[in-house]
Amino acid sequence: MNNKLAPTYQRMFGKYWVLWYFKSNNYSVIETEFKTLLDFYLHSDTLDEFSAKISSVDDVSDVKTVVNNLDTYLESCNASSASQLDASPAYKTSKRHIERQYRIKDKLITIFYDTDLVEKTIHPSLAHLETNAQPKKSAITFDLYTDNGQLNLFKNQQLITSVPQRDYHLVQGKFIMQLLTVIHAKEESDWIGTFHGSTVSDGTNSVLFIGKSGKGKSTLCALLAAHGFELLADDVSPMLSDNSHIYHNPTAISIKEGAFGTLQPMVPGFDDLPITLFNTTKGSLKYIPTKYPNKDNYPCKAIIMVNYEPNSKTQLESASVKEILETLIPDSWLSNHPKHAEQFLDWLVATPLYQITYSDTERVIETISAVFNGLEDNY
């Protein structure tokens, strides 16, 4: 009855449906029963017609309450969460207190920071790429500084984003997106999205590992990298629209203090890596640089949600699309272009979804190796 609020795209995953809404760029996961009611509602012209349709499948005593619930659901799905700046902050050269240069492939990147604390939001993950060379001109220049309670990111003195200082992670994600456009010679509009997850390759295919903070995602990827796998991307995994491949993100792997003991004997030079203390929530961190992969992009053939539990058995199970998206979506950036949303859903439908619980490092490496072997058999 209110078709203007209808989802733009929808895909079925077993007992779940994933709906995408163009107006808000929101993804919603609902069960089949609710989807049936929603379809009846969207394809009815009057309340009486809707009432007749649902009475054929369910005994509903209060149709108006059902309609109100559906209206509320659709309005929330169509509500945009994007915030707008009241005013665009002006660029200030006077904030250039710290200068760092990084060489990534054949590109030279210069970043200016205003304080040591702001520098810690970006530099530790790129420190292994720092160079002291003084070429004629950088490929790109970034400025990152705080002003009036806002954290501002500029590229070539043009504002990219400005967020409250407490939301520094949003600037980190936006910076990586801009960095990737430079090193892969792409535009931001070329990407389906940047997923909050780490991607590992066996040289043929890749697997995206996701998980909430502290669940062992980065530690597992560091273990795999130490045992012959290629780290394609840590924490931010970009997918290109042209081929739906995950592309290389050159930042180092961020490791929390709780994993130091596990990785120390496996990572050469681990003790020499500096400790970064950014805030009390994250605690002490070390950043492990890894070798460049043989290729800068691979097809992603599976998603695995990681859950480290002390003294647990290693267990690989199927995961629901609801569990996967509830973990993947919140800190990911996904393009709002309809073509990209459709590509994302098509890729998701064709991709096996798993969850793994582990504590034994040897066993989990064997299990992940078996997953990769299975992907090669299937493709």
Side-chain angles (χ1 to χ4, degrees):
M1 286 184 286
N2 194 349
N3 290 320
K4 292 181 180 180
L5 299 180
T8 307
Y9 297 126
Q10 49 193 355
R11 297 289 187 279
M12 187 177 186
F13 296 77
K15 70 174 184 177
Y16 292 106
W17 284 83
V18 178
L19 315 180
W20 179 72
Y21 294 85
F22 169 71
K23 184 177 180 180
S24 60
N25 193 25
N26 282 336
Y27 290 84
S28 174
V29 184
I30 60 175
E31 294 191 7
T32 302
E33 293 80 1
F34 186 80
K35 177 65 163 53
T36 300
L37 285 178
L38 185 64
D39 286 343
F40 284 161
Y41 174 75
L42 292 172
H43 294 95
S44 297
D45 293 325
T46 65
L47 184 63
D48 287 341
E49 183 181 349
F50 174 65
S51 179
K53 286 180 179 178
I54 63 174
S55 65
S56 66
V57 296
D58 198 1
D59 183 17
V60 177
S61 58
D62 191 348
V63 176
K64 288 186 178 180
T65 298
V66 174
V67 169
N68 287 337
N69 290 340
L70 290 169
D71 271 335
T72 299
Y73 164 77
L74 288 169
E75 287 169 3
S76 66
C77 287
N78 282 275
S80 175
S81 59
S83 59
Q84 300 293 327
L85 287 173
D86 294 333
S88 297
Y91 171 75
K92 296 182 179 180
T93 308
S94 61
K95 292 286 188 175
R96 288 183 165 184
H97 299 152
I98 302 170
E99 179 181 357
R100 300 280 192 180
Q101 290 185 326
Y102 311 90
R103 185 172 294 282
I104 306 174
K105 292 186 176 181
D106 60 340
K107 302 289 195 307
L108 191 89
I109 313 296
T110 299
I111 307 178
F112 293 96
Y113 309 94
D114 65 330
T115 66
D116 291 337
L117 183 60
V118 169
E119 182 187 39
K120 288 180 181 178
T121 62
I122 299 294
H123 176 70
S125 66
L126 295 176
H128 61 294
L129 300 170
E130 188 173 14
T131 177
N132 294 319
Q134 296 294 326
K136 293 181 180 179
K137 186 178 181 181
S138 295
I140 209 82
T141 297
F142 292 96
D143 287 83
L144 185 63
Y145 61 80
T146 55
D147 193 33
N148 294 322
Q150 295 287 115
L151 183 60
N152 305 314
L153 175 67
F154 289 82
K155 183 173 84 171
N156 291 342
Q157 302 186 17
Q158 298 297 312
L159 180 68
I160 298 300
T161 190
S162 179
V163 303
Q165 289 177 230
R166 65 179 181 276
D167 294 331
Y168 64 89
H169 64 283
L170 298 177
V171 168
Q172 289 173 321
K174 196 68 173 178
F175 166 77
I176 292 297
M177 179 78 265
Q178 294 297 320
L179 182 67
L180 293 169
T181 63
V182 174
I183 63 179
H184 294 298
K186 305 295 181 183
E187 299 294 331
E188 184 170 336
S189 58
D190 293 328
W191 303 94
I192 290 174
T194 51
F195 304 136
H196 181 216
S198 301
T199 305
V200 170
S201 172
D202 65 349
T204 302
N205 297 305
S206 70
V207 170
L208 173 66
F209 294 88
I210 65 173
K212 295 180 180 178
S213 179
K215 290 296 186 179
K217 165 176 51 66
S218 292
T219 301
L220 176 56
C221 290
L223 286 169
L224 293 170
H227 285 79
F229 289 88
E230 298 177 352
L231 181 81
L232 194 58
D234 179 58
D235 211 38
V236 178
S237 294
M239 177 173 281
L240 191 70
S241 172
D242 282 350
N243 53 17
S244 296
H245 285 196
I246 299 288
Y247 274 65
H248 181 226
N249 172 358
T251 59
I253 308 178
S254 171
I255 299 298
K256 294 183 174 65
E257 187 174 10
F260 288 1
T262 299
L263 295 172
Q264 188 273 338
M266 301 182 188
V267 178
F270 186 86
D271 291 337
D272 297 327
L273 295 172
I275 292 178
T276 299
L277 184 59
F278 182 64
N279 59 36
T280 55
T281 301
K282 288 186 175 293
S284 296
L285 303 173
K286 284 198 174 194
Y287 289 82
I288 303 175
T290 59
K291 296 179 181 179
Y292 272 75
N294 291 325
K295 293 171 56 180
D296 67 1
N297 67 93
Y298 291 98
C300 184
K301 298 296 188 178
I303 302 175
I304 300 180
M305 186 166 58
V306 179
N307 180 31
Y308 174 84
E309 287 187 2
N311 304 315
S312 66
K313 293 182 179 180
T314 300
Q315 188 172 7
L316 182 73
E317 306 171 282
S318 295
S320 72
V321 70
K322 178 177 172 61
E323 295 169 308
I324 293 295
L325 290 186
E326 285 178 349
T327 303
L328 179 65
I329 293 289
D331 292 321
S332 296
W333 171 80
L334 292 172
S335 169
N336 62 1
H337 194 291
K339 172 187 173 182
H340 296 158
E342 188 171 27
Q343 287 178 313
F344 172 66
L345 289 172
D346 288 343
W347 167 71
L348 197 62
V349 165
T351 302
L353 310 177
Y354 302 106
Q355 57 183 351
I356 191 166
T357 302
Y358 80 99
S359 65
D360 185 314
T361 56
E362 291 186 8
R363 181 61 181 148
V364 74
I365 292 168
E366 292 174 0
T367 303
I368 298 301
S369 297
V371 171
F372 273 103
N373 291 336
L375 294 177
E376 292 174 3
D377 293 339
N378 291 334
Y379 295 93

